[in-house]
Amino acid sequence: AYLGRHNKQTTFANEADYNAAIVQKCRDLNIEIIAVTDHYRVKHSTGLVQAARAAGIIAFGGFEASTKDGVHFLCLFDPDKDSRLERFIGECGVHNDDDLSPTGNKDCLELLECARSWGGICIAAHVAGNNGLLQTLKGQLRINVWQSDDLLARALAGPVDNAPVGLRDIIDNSNGDYRRARPLAVINAQDVDSPEALGESGSTCL
């Protein structure tokens, strides 16, 4: 569904074949845990989540959120929340499946607080890139979101040493203005829309 909406080419004739290939590549690479997130959508992710779980891979369902201040977060939930994900998306003010990349009605701090109340977690997506927390927000607001107790991790495509120089000391928790008592976990993760992408540098981590 994601490939179709964004006019991306694929060699797969149907979703079942695509899901099977993703799962097999995970097994080939010894990937034990995945999260499946689309832009404020979950219904098209169900098949992949179920196929992964059936193969013994831990799969977190969820969605990618875009806050009203322009920051992307990955919102992840335990399996017992699967049936409630659509409701959480509705609480973000998103009700139209036709919008390619909808924007929610919550700012960063409101979304983080809601995710905690829903029993989920938020990961700051592509934190040093476009629509990432550190590139999008400025000043005290950026500090407040970065230091929020409800933010537990940030996604980065590669090692911290490869992050932009102006952001590296924030990411490695050495900048006094941004320092957290509990450092954020660094998750090497990026968009994966093919089995081959799972093997790219920065797509997976311990």
Side-chain angles (χ1 to χ4, degrees), residues 6 42 68-69 75 87 110 141 143 159 165 169 189 191:
H6 294 272
V42 294
K68 66 182 181 183
D69 36 18
C75 302
R87 194 196 82 187
E110 290 169 339
L141 176 59
I143 293 173
V165 173
D169 63 343
D191 290 351

Side-chain angles (χ1 to χ4, degrees), residues 6 15 27 68 70 75 80 92 117 119 121 155 179 188 190 204:
H6 294 272
E15 181 192 352
R27 299 178 78 172
K68 66 182 181 183
C75 302
D80 64 351
C92 292
S117 72
I121 66 165
R179 186 171 294 121
N188 282 158
Q190 53 189 350
T204 62

Side-chain angles (χ1 to χ4, degrees), residues 159-193:
V160 173
D161 289 345
N162 289 352
V165 173
L167 302 178
R168 199 175 300 162
D169 63 343
I170 300 175
I171 294 172
D172 68 14
N173 208 39
S174 63
N175 184 312
D177 292 333
Y178 289 80
R179 186 171 294 121
R180 293 171 50 101
R182 176 182 181 174
L184 290 176
V186 179
I187 306 296
N188 282 158
Q190 53 189 350
D191 290 351
V192 169
D193 56 17

